[in-house]
Amino acid sequence: MAKDRVLLIAEACNPEWFSVPLVGWAHASALRELADYDVTVATQIRNREAILRAGWVEGEDFVSIDSERVAAPAYKVATLLRGGANKGWTTVTAVQSLTYNYFERLIWSKYKQELRSGRYQLVHRLTPLSPTSPSYLASKLHSIDVPFIIGPLNGGVPWPTQFSGVRRKEKEWLSYIRSMHTLMPGYHRTRRSARALIIGSKDTWHQMPEAYQSKCVYIPENGIDLARFSKTRTRQATLPLELVFVGRLVPYKGADMLIEAAQNLIRNGQARVTIIGSGPEYETLQQLSLKLGCAEGVRLLGSIEHQAVQDHLIQADLMVFPSIREFGGAVALEAMAVGLVPMVVRYGGIGELVSDETGFLIEMGSRDEIVASLRQNLEHVVADPSLIEQKAVAAKDRVQHWFTWDAKARQVSQVYDWVLGRLNQKPHWGMPFGNNQDHAKASRGGDHD
């Protein structure tokens, strides 16, 4: 029996890059392994050479779409407008959303005859992840009755009002008017024409107009490649407690709050901090640790190879990542995958990946309140390091059950099955995953909040 064919659109899909391109690659690779579906990936030409080096065959496994005529100058414009490296991400996303339309027009031009003839039973737009990018293909596919799925869509986590100064330092000027994207041509047409919308976070879900929520399915964007994170933390938590931070050194990631919260423990020889990552805050963090008199217990390693990150994770006791605005938060999954317990702020996407059983969740508040809560939690763990080991096994189990790319592909395949009529009910695993209240609500036939 022939498999149903899926045209998978992944504009960002690159095994050698990070962030969204790596998510696109890992997710697309897992979807191509589905038993019931034959998946062809359409991606932007900038990814071609890396994909070929990974062993895919052009014309069979993937096709590259050359939209550089528009994409290249758009990238230059975004670079000029963003206000510096690692800043102004809302501006970058806005420019990309305005130019992405051309990429989909080229796909339609290339595939319209095959789509009209029924060669593909389904089209799934995997990336871009941003909800602000309308789809040119949505209405075209609706007119020829080819099911169209978008997602996971993730973005729009509100800036915490307590951190308006950080917002300005990040050059997030456009974030003040981000909601204007709902007025863009194609916003409602895209959602109206899609058969299913995969939503990557609760914030994105709640921003979806109620008229479209019946076709929404919650699946977080991030997953974990167990081949990349194959080692397991074997150490037992002991003093001095080994704390590790992994991420870009920019204001909203909160590495400074970690140093400030842990300073007394560091000076007393009860904790040490390792910070992995680079960015404009590097020297600021150095100066802060000197000012607080705890520099001897703070190591700033700078950037390291992604493959080497797990070697540092398995030597730590806690991954402390007090970022105040994370869409995805893959670093928490990487930590849990090797059995390292995370301590994160319960806000944005990362607060949905970590549960109270698998980590320590800090409530959102002012900077002083977060620092105080971090300090209190760290002191609590120092007083009883066995608290870490109680959560470590559950952390690893949570990742392996819900967040491997294979698990994610199986989740998405159920969305395919639902759209194609193989499942009578929309798939639902709780929001966040494993949320018992959501499961109970689903069993009663209720809708999401």
Side-chain angles (χ1 to χ4, degrees):
M1 183 176 172
K3 297 181 179 181
D4 284 330
R5 293 178 61 87
V6 177
L7 179 61
L8 184 68
I9 301 171
E11 192 267 355
C13 177
N14 195 305
E16 298 175 4
W17 294 352
F18 300 106
S19 191
V20 175
L22 185 58
V23 168
W25 165 260
H27 203 156
S29 298
L31 289 171
R32 291 195 65 253
E33 297 299 318
L34 292 174
D36 295 332
Y37 293 94
D38 184 357
V39 177
T40 299
V41 178
T43 191
Q44 214 273 351
I45 198 168
R46 75 176 78 91
N47 306 307
R48 178 178 181 272
E49 296 303 320
I51 291 175
L52 289 172
R53 285 192 289 271
W56 284 14
V57 178
E58 190 167 17
E60 295 181 16
D61 304 323
F62 80 104
V63 294
S64 53
I65 305 296
D66 187 357
S67 61
E68 284 297 284
R69 176 170 167 265
V70 170
Y75 178 80
K76 293 179 181 178
V77 169
T79 301
L80 292 172
L81 293 176
R82 69 188 306 175
N86 292 318
K87 294 183 178 180
W89 288 104
T90 305
T91 301
V92 174
T93 300
V95 173
Q96 291 174 341
S97 294
L98 292 172
T99 59
Y100 173 76
N101 181 278
Y102 179 63
F103 177 76
E104 284 201 1
R105 285 178 178 271
L106 293 178
I107 290 178
W108 176 251
S109 178
K110 180 178 179 63
Y111 281 102
K112 60 184 175 183
Q113 296 304 326
E114 292 180 78
L115 290 164
R116 285 170 173 160
S117 68
R119 178 171 172 78
Y120 292 93
Q121 283 68 54
L122 186 150
V123 177
H124 175 192
R125 192 184 88 177
L126 181 63
T127 67
L129 302 176
S130 173
T132 64
S133 299
S135 172
Y136 172 81
L137 284 171
S139 60
K140 295 290 186 183
L141 295 169
H142 180 74
S143 69
I144 59 174
D145 200 29
V146 174
F148 184 50
I149 296 173
I150 305 176
L153 297 174
N154 197 16
V157 175
W159 272 96
T161 56
Q162 303 93 330
F163 288 88
S164 57
V166 174
R167 188 181 195 178
R168 291 190 293 271
K169 287 181 70 175
E170 292 289 338
K171 310 294 186 184
E172 288 289 352
W173 316 122
L174 277 184
S175 67
Y176 291 97
I177 58 170
R178 182 186 178 278
S179 60
M180 297 292 289
H181 80 275
T182 61
L183 303 178
M184 290 176 61
Y187 174 85
H188 287 283
R189 183 174 65 246
T190 295
R191 287 150 179 76
R192 189 167 54 246
S193 299
R195 296 282 183 90
L197 301 160
I198 300 174
I199 307 299
S201 70
K202 291 167 67 176
D203 281 304
T204 304
W205 183 289
H206 292 307
Q207 292 164 24
M208 184 66 64
E210 187 176 354
Y212 312 122
Q213 288 189 3
S214 63
K215 60 177 73 176
C216 292
V217 179
Y218 173 87
I219 302 176
E221 69 171 87
N222 285 117
I224 196 75
D225 182 352
L226 294 181
R228 286 176 178 255
F229 290 86
S230 58
K231 299 182 180 181
T232 299
R233 175 181 171 273
T234 56
R235 62 175 279 131
Q236 292 290 306
T238 187
L239 302 185
L241 213 62
E242 296 290 348
L243 313 178
V244 63
F245 170 100
V246 182
R248 290 186 295 118
L249 303 186
V250 293
Y252 77 89
K253 297 287 185 178
D256 59 316
M257 292 193 287
L258 165 58
I259 294 174
E260 189 171 330
Q263 59 176 303
N264 291 336
L265 298 176
I266 296 171
R267 286 195 296 263
N268 295 336
Q270 295 174 301
R272 292 190 292 235
V273 173
T274 298
I275 295 177
I276 299 171
S278 61
E281 295 292 293
Y282 186 92
E283 291 186 4
T284 301
L285 297 173
Q286 281 184 320
Q287 294 301 314
L288 177 63
S289 60
L290 287 169
K291 177 183 176 182
L292 296 177
C294 59
E296 290 187 3
V298 178
R299 294 191 303 163
L300 286 97
L301 300 186
S303 294
I304 64 174
E305 291 293 325
H306 193 239
Q307 294 85 342
V309 169
Q310 67 172 329
D311 293 327
H312 291 274
L313 296 180
I314 63 175
Q315 296 170 23
D317 295 311
L318 272 178
M319 195 280 290
V320 187
F321 188 69
S323 175
I324 52 108
R325 188 174 180 262
E326 287 296 312
F327 300 123
V331 65
L333 296 182
E334 293 171 356
M336 291 193 291
V338 301
L340 179 63
V341 173
M343 183 178 290
V344 302
V345 176
R346 196 197 301 267
Y347 190 75
I350 198 168
E352 299 168 36
L353 305 182
V354 182
S355 67
D356 289 313
E357 293 73 30
T358 63
F360 299 89
L361 289 157
I362 306 299
E363 299 302 328
M364 175 56 73
S366 68
R367 186 185 186 282
D368 288 345
E369 288 170 335
I370 291 176
V371 169
S373 185
L374 281 170
R375 182 182 298 117
Q376 182 180 13
N377 276 270
L378 290 173
E379 290 174 350
H380 188 48
V381 175
V382 163
D384 184 6
S386 68
L387 293 171
I388 292 174
E389 309 310 330
Q390 294 171 21
K391 295 176 182 286
V393 173
K396 188 164 188 176
D397 287 347
R398 179 166 172 78
V399 167
Q400 292 181 339
H401 182 76
W402 294 109
F403 292 105
T404 67
W405 288 113
D406 288 342
K408 196 165 296 293
R410 291 193 296 271
Q411 293 155 7
V412 173
S413 74
Q414 291 191 45
V415 180
Y416 291 176
D417 291 345
W418 174 57
V419 165
L420 294 175
R422 295 175 180 172
L423 286 180
N424 292 327
Q425 292 187 329
K426 181 174 69 173
H428 178 48
W429 301 277
M431 187 171 66
F433 277 164
N435 186 302
N436 291 330
Q437 183 177 355
D438 274 354
H439 282 304
K441 186 182 294 184
S443 68
R444 294 194 302 270
D447 293 330
H448 288 286
D449 291 336

